[in-house]
Amino acid sequence: MNLRMKLLVVPCAALSFAGGVALATSPDAKAVPQAEPLPKHVLPASKDGNLVLGLCDGETSMEVPGVKDGQKLTRAQAITATAQLMGDWRKKNPNAKWDDVPGPVLAQASPPATKKSPAPAPQPAPGAKPAGSDVRPGGVGAQTGASAVPQQRKADVQTGHTYGAFSERDEQVWADSVQAAVKEGHRVFHDAEALGGTVGVSCDMCHPDAANTHPETYPKYQVQLGRVALLRDMINWCIENPVRGKPLADGDPRMRAMEAYIYAQRKGVKLEYGKH
């Protein structure tokens, strides 16, 4: 770079920097809203140093005799303790809208059955006309207009065909994928270790088979959080408090799987966001 070019570059860089500073400090620049910290369920201390468990209501707690703070409960101990916590909550809230669920024995229920789909149908050769069985009744064949899709800007492309035009094979792949997520969600929901818990408590102990999670009511105002919450917000509340783990990021596969599992347990229930 010769002297003339240097003389041009330096002023330009200075102007660019000054412009960036002016833009950042402009009164028109909008600050990114920051989430307010969530409340915590502050548990009472045990005078004997025993482990104290909290319920996901953010209020109810109990001391576990014989287990010191910092120790982890066995699954059997945790099921017994959470059953007592739930019993205490029911006594305090006899008129609460709470679906009756079987005892904690179902906390160890079997994972949802995986429906084995038939083998995917063979895909037609590029450029070949779709077979009759590959076309949904009344719908559009998987290859309908497929050759033109890559050339269509802004088209929603899915494996070479437009959104809304899909084959039986596509449906099988999608159903299997969702079912795999549901099955993984069942595993995480029932596993304190997978949840990152530190006291041996897992979600199923208070919510056997995802009972009383009511995903169809979210978003809604959640008293424990003091704000409108999504289902995943409440999942993280339970992970942080009763389970004593760290909240999961939105994109964490465990969070996504648990949402799939919880929603699957309420399939067919009317959507009523905001309902309590």
Side-chain angles (χ1 to χ4, degrees):
M1 182 182 294
N2 55 36
L3 178 60
R4 182 178 181 182
M5 293 181 65
K6 290 180 178 178
L7 292 174
L8 290 173
V9 167
V10 171
C12 288
L15 288 173
S16 177
F17 174 77
V21 171
L23 182 62
T25 57
S26 169
D28 295 333
K30 295 182 179 178
V32 177
Q34 299 296 316
E36 296 180 4
L38 294 175
K40 299 287 184 181
H41 185 184
V42 180
L43 300 172
S46 166
K47 64 179 181 180
D48 298 320
N50 290 331
L51 176 66
V52 179
L53 292 181
L55 196 62
C56 49
D57 68 342
E59 297 178 351
T60 309
S61 63
M62 65 166 286
E63 186 174 327
V64 185
V67 180
K68 297 301 179 185
D69 189 31
Q71 293 181 326
K72 186 178 294 187
L73 300 169
T74 65
R75 183 165 179 84
Q77 289 174 320
I79 289 176
T80 300
T82 51
Q84 181 178 333
L85 276 170
M86 290 302 301
D88 293 343
W89 183 84
R90 294 299 301 272
K91 291 178 182 176
K92 291 193 301 181
N93 302 276
N95 300 318
K97 296 178 180 178
W98 192 259
D99 298 334
D100 287 330
V101 295
V105 63
L106 275 187
Q108 302 186 57
S110 301
T114 300
K115 182 180 179 181
K116 186 65 176 177
S117 300
Q123 289 295 282
K129 293 183 179 180
S133 59
D134 195 40
V135 180
R136 298 181 70 245
V140 183
Q143 295 300 314
T144 302
S147 60
V149 168
Q151 287 74 40
Q152 296 173 0
R153 297 185 65 181
K154 300 182 180 179
D156 191 354
V157 181
Q158 294 189 349
T159 62
H161 55 73
T162 56
Y163 188 86
F166 47 88
S167 67
E168 292 180 358
R169 173 189 174 278
D170 293 327
E171 289 184 315
Q172 291 169 11
V173 171
W174 298 342
D176 287 351
S177 299
V178 172
Q179 189 59 25
V182 171
K183 188 174 182 179
E184 172 63 7
H186 175 278
R187 184 188 72 81
V188 177
F189 196 84
H190 289 71
D191 188 340
E193 296 293 332
L195 288 163
T198 57
V199 291
V201 172
S202 52
C203 301
D204 59 305
M205 294 176 182
C206 298
H207 302 275
D209 291 333
N212 287 299
T213 50
H214 298 295
E216 73 280 359
T217 63
Y218 289 89
K220 67 181 177 184
Y221 187 89
Q222 197 70 44
V223 176
Q224 299 95 316
L225 307 183
R227 65 177 63 170
V228 174
L230 305 178
L231 174 61
R232 58 184 50 192
D233 296 327
M234 195 57 199
I235 292 174
N236 268 339
W237 164 269
C238 291
I239 289 176
E240 281 193 277
N241 293 279
V243 174
R244 303 264 195 99
K246 294 182 179 179
L248 303 179
D250 287 348
D252 192 302
R254 294 170 293 176
M255 173 65 79
R256 300 166 66 86
M258 279 197 290
E259 284 189 329
Y261 168 65
I262 294 171
Y263 276 108
Q265 292 300 98
R266 301 287 285 179
K267 182 179 181 180
V269 177
K270 180 182 178 182
L271 175 64
E272 289 191 273
Y273 74 91
K275 180 184 178 182
H276 284 270

